[in-house]
């Protein structure tokens, strides 16, 4: 197993209810759980059909052929000791009742495949996002706690967990169960971003500081005065200053070069220290450039 390989043998025998144990056949060198299951099922059917036709089971070693989905005889052995096998006198027969199976099934948590399908259905996530978020039980639990704490769009929460949080975990070689930011703390950041109380740049700054210092995001916001510029007059003033200082880019935009507009947006965001609302900057810039 330490080499990433797998090999096992399986002993198969059948008997009618109440009768003595049947003759055993050994299946050799099975190299996956799936092949082991298929080999045992085939061999059990083969032995039952042989007995029902009046035949006799030979004690032998058999090989499983996955391409033909069948077992074939390799060699016969006459006695159990030829297999270096002996019954353990301390092991009692194990009987699994239907009510035991039902009780265990009822106690099982939501299984990964079912949770993945529910995430896609309930949260409107893509198959990629749903698979990434349910890669482990801890990851799926974190996401659902994040959605509850943020009160924000489920997709936005998924983007932050798969993006910023996953990057930080990978960088520090941590499991999500060891995250330096709780779902409640990250939920607060996502909530503030969704409400426009933080810009995207600010939200990332708050996340990075909270992660690095192990402090609440609210503390980072208060300490660094991270509040967006929401006053339209203040944003218009910044836009006017940028337009006046970048006459060539203004001319390029009016000549049909859309790339110049993105450059102007970047200039305004830089002048605001990343505190201006990008949507508001876009709206004011386009209005002024249309004159």
């Amino acid at each position: 197993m330490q080499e990433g390989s797998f090999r096992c043998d399986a002993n198969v025998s059948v008997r009618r209810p109440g009768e003595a144990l049947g003759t055993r056949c050994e299946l050799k060198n099975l190299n996956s759980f799936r092949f082991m299951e298929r080999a045992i099922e085939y061999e059990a059917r083969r032995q039952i059909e042989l007995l029902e036709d009046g035949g006799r089971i030979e004690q032998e070693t058999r090989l499983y052929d996955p391409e033909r989905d069948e077992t074939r005889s390799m060699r016969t052995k006459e006695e159990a000791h030829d297999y270096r096998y002996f019954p353990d006198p301390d092991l009692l027969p194990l009987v699994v009742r239907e009510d035991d199976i039902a009780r265990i099934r009822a106690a099982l948590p939501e299984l990964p495949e079912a949770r993945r399908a529910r995430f896609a259905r309930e949260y409107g996530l893509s198959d990629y996002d749903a698979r990434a978020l349910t890669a482990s039980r801890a990851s799926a639990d974190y996401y659902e706690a994040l959605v509850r704490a943020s009160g924000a769009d489920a997709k936005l929460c998924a983007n932050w967990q798969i993006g910023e949080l996953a990057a930080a975990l990978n960088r520090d070689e941590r499991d999500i169960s060891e995250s330096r930011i709780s779902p409640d703390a990250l939920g607060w950041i996502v909530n503030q971003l969704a409400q426009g109380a933080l810009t995207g740049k600010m939200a990332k700054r708050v996340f990075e500081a909270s992660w690095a210092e192990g402090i609440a995001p609210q503390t980072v916001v208060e300490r660094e005065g991270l509040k967006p510029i929401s006053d339209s007059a203040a944003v218009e003033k910044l836009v006017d200053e940028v337009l006046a200082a970048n006459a060539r880019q203004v001319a390029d935009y009016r000549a049909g070069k859309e790339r110049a507009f993105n450059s102007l947006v970047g200039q305004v965001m830089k002048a605001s220290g990343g505190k201006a609302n990008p949507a508001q900057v876009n709206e004011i810039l386009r209005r002024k450039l249309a004159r």
Side-chain angles (χ1 to χ4, degrees), residues 1-7:
M1 292 295 283
Q2 71 270 19
E3 297 174 356
S5 58
F6 172 84
R7 183 192 296 182

Side-chain angles (χ1 to χ4, degrees), residues 30 43 54 93 100 187 193 239:
L30 301 167
E43 181 59 20
D100 291 328
L193 175 62
V239 169

Side-chain angles (χ1 to χ4, degrees), residues 77-227:
K77 292 188 176 181
E78 296 181 356
E79 302 295 337
H81 61 73
D82 288 333
Y83 289 94
R84 302 296 186 265
Y85 166 89
F86 63 91
D88 189 325
D90 296 326
L91 293 179
L92 298 175
L94 176 63
V95 178
V96 181
R97 299 186 299 270
E98 287 298 325
D99 59 334
D100 291 328
I101 296 173
R103 176 175 49 79
I104 293 169
R105 181 178 287 118
L108 287 173
E110 187 178 20
L111 298 180
E113 195 62 40
R115 203 170 195 184
R116 188 175 302 131
R118 180 171 65 80
F119 274 25
R121 181 181 66 254
E122 187 173 313
Y123 297 119
L125 301 177
S126 67
D127 181 66
Y128 172 83
D129 287 350
R131 286 183 179 277
L133 294 167
T134 57
S136 71
R137 184 176 179 181
S139 175
D141 288 345
Y142 188 103
Y143 176 70
E144 296 215 88
L146 172 59
V147 172
R148 288 194 299 270
S150 70
D153 175 69
K155 174 59 178 172
L156 181 60
C157 292
N159 289 345
W160 272 80
Q161 182 167 332
I162 295 171
E164 298 298 320
L165 180 63
L169 291 170
N170 290 336
R171 184 178 62 245
D172 289 4
E173 297 183 346
R174 287 173 175 263
D175 183 78
I176 196 166
S177 60
E178 304 169 315
S179 173
R180 290 175 60 82
I181 291 183
S182 69
D184 285 348
L186 182 55
W188 187 85
I189 296 173
V190 174
N191 174 273
Q192 295 298 292
L193 175 62
Q195 292 187 13
L198 291 175
T199 65
K201 185 175 181 179
M202 288 178 182
K204 290 182 179 181
R205 169 58 191 154
V206 173
F207 176 87
E208 290 166 0
S210 297
W211 180 276
E213 301 176 46
I215 58 178
Q218 295 90 329
T219 302
V220 179
V221 170
E222 183 176 349
R223 182 185 70 191
E224 302 189 14
L226 296 174
K227 295 182 179 180

